[in-house]
Amino acid sequence: MKKNITRNIAEMLTADQRVALNALGSPVHFQAGERIFREGEPSRSVLVIRNGNVKVTRHNVNGKEAILAIRGADEVLGDEGALTGDPRLATVTTIAEVDALDIGADDFVAFVDEHRLWPQMYRDVVRRMRQSEERLMHAPLSVKNRLARWLLELATEVGEKTDEGWVIEWTLSQQDLATGIGATRDAVAIALRQLREQEVLRTGRQRIVVLDVERLRAAASV
């Protein structure tokens, strides 16, 4: 299983370009549970995460908040709005303490201009927007199916391969899982129990271990 379903901006840059981008930022620190960006707000800045993790959420057509992704170190947030001049497309909230660099939107656009990165940046923005729309459309699938898909994405984004399996350590609650897939907490608890009984995964305090990736992928299939 490869890390990162979509290419983040940092992976597109050369080492010198990453240094130049970071030089534009001012260090900022956030406590766990802080809201960094809010959906619909003006896009005045871009954030480069140095340490920690955040959740990216957006309201679906029913007005309910859905978790679109978990982002971590070296990823750039808020670039879509900075590049297009549109308001924030999603809300970003920390799920652990986060150290980051805050870069003004104008400085970020000037950086993209100087290094001729528009084609790559636009392709990445479109890819991530499509991924978000797909997540918002997952509601018709079964709870177990949606949960399996979400856990596969979490393993890809923030998981670590160990002798036990893919370990996901996080501070999200069972209610966050339910919110992320558009289900009730009770339904998620039942689906987790089924996956545990099938020895697909093991759960603990702020920890999920995916024991069998192939069986989890099968559970995620329509």
Side-chain angles (χ1 to χ4, degrees), residues 2-38:
K2 296 179 180 180
K3 293 288 277 183
N4 294 324
I5 291 175
T6 58
R7 248 176 119 205
N8 67 59
I9 289 174
E11 292 177 325
M12 301 178 189
L13 307 180
T14 66
D16 288 343
Q17 287 172 335
R18 285 195 293 271
V19 170
L21 178 63
N22 290 343
L24 299 174
S26 300
V28 289
H29 179 80
F30 302 94
Q31 297 296 324
E34 280 195 63
R35 184 175 286 112
I36 300 175
F37 299 153
R38 187 188 297 272

Side-chain angles (χ1 to χ4, degrees), residues 34-60:
E34 280 195 63
R35 184 175 286 112
I36 300 175
F37 299 153
R38 187 188 297 272
E39 183 180 352
E41 286 182 340
S43 300
R44 297 194 177 96
S45 64
V46 167
L47 203 72
V48 180
I49 301 177
R50 306 302 289 165
N51 295 291
N53 294 102
V54 302
K55 61 179 179 180
V56 182
T57 61
R58 182 176 161 191
H59 288 87
N60 60 24

Side-chain angles (χ1 to χ4, degrees), residues 131-151:
Q131 183 186 37
S132 297
E133 293 301 327
E134 288 173 2
R135 172 162 294 286
L136 292 174
M137 294 174 65
H138 280 170
L141 304 177
S142 72
V143 172
K144 185 177 177 181
N145 183 279
R146 281 178 277 159
L147 178 62
R149 288 187 175 205
W150 184 220
L151 291 175

